[in-house]
Amino acid sequence: RMNLLMGGTEYTIAERYTNMTKTLFLAFYYSAIYPSAFFMCFVNLFVSFFIDKFSLLRTWKPTPLLGPYIAKFSRIYFMTTAIAAMAITSSYFFAGFPYDNLCPEDVSHSAYYGTWQIINGDGEESTATIEPGERSYHFCNQFLGPGDNFAFPAFPDNQPPGSEWMTEEQEQLTGIY
């Protein structure tokens, strides 16, 4: 009876793989808008490795031998899917930048020249002066995802005519993804 109490805690290898793949997937998904997600993923996996190693050697019960099937499945199917998802979501993240839905126009509208009274977001009044030659902007939907402007993949050529917002560098980067 005493040996049964010293047998260790039960665990499942599938749970450990699930935690690892979840961390990798989140790092891949948010890598375009938060590049340090890779570093955070590394730290998480590094700490998890040593905690799992200690637990496997000291506190967990031995499990039945499963072979390399879970590792092969994860490497072949999950990693391929996760990298494809990273490329697709990064493409949409880079294509939508700067996320303000404003497209510049090359003309300055004379109807807006002069000094104007404006109220800022805090309710304070101030003045704004618009002079000839200042750039004006119009609304454009910069979201190429599901909806009115849906485009797959998010290439620079898929910007609506008259509402081009991408810079040359942004077009190159989006084209790479």
Side-chain angles (χ1 to χ4, degrees):
R1 181 172 166 110
M2 183 65 89
N3 286 339
L4 292 175
L5 295 174
M6 296 298 188
T9 308
E10 289 188 18
Y11 75 100
T12 58
I13 195 73
E15 180 183 344
R16 307 313 306 154
Y17 266 97
T18 302
N19 288 339
M20 179 191 68
T21 54
K22 173 184 59 177
T23 302
L24 280 171
F25 186 77
L26 286 173
F28 286 165
Y29 186 83
Y30 290 110
S31 65
I33 56 175
Y34 191 60
S36 62
F38 286 122
F39 176 72
M40 291 174 46
C41 176
F42 164 75
V43 170
N44 184 331
L45 293 176
F46 186 77
V47 170
S48 295
F49 170 77
F50 284 104
I51 290 173
D52 288 351
K53 180 180 175 183
F54 176 82
S55 297
L56 185 63
L57 297 174
R58 304 285 179 170
T59 61
W60 289 341
K61 278 185 179 180
T63 59
L65 298 176
L66 299 174
Y69 302 113
I70 294 176
K72 284 182 181 178
F73 181 84
S74 178
R75 185 176 61 244
I76 292 171
Y77 296 107
F78 171 75
M79 291 303 288
T80 305
T81 305
I83 290 173
M86 177 186 72
I88 291 169
T89 56
S90 295
S91 173
Y92 282 104
F93 284 142
F94 286 130
F97 188 79
Y99 306 110
D100 58 3
N101 290 333
L102 294 176
C103 290
E105 294 181 351
D106 292 332
V107 295
S108 179
H109 297 285
S110 60
Y112 299 117
Y113 295 162
T115 302
W116 299 88
Q117 293 292 326
I118 60 171
I119 299 174
N120 67 13
D122 296 330
E124 301 169 357
E125 285 192 22
S126 61
T127 60
T129 304
I130 300 175
E131 299 174 357
E134 291 188 21
R135 177 177 267 182
S136 61
Y137 295 86
H138 69 275
F139 172 81
C140 63
N141 187 359
Q142 295 176 345
F143 181 63
L144 293 178
D148 296 337
N149 289 339
F150 180 70
F152 179 79
F155 283 141
D157 300 339
N158 294 330
Q159 297 177 85
S163 295
E164 294 85 10
W165 67 87
M166 291 187 199
T167 63
E168 185 177 329
E169 294 84 9
Q170 185 178 1
E171 288 179 355
Q172 289 175 349
L173 185 62
T174 305
I176 290 170
Y177 271 98

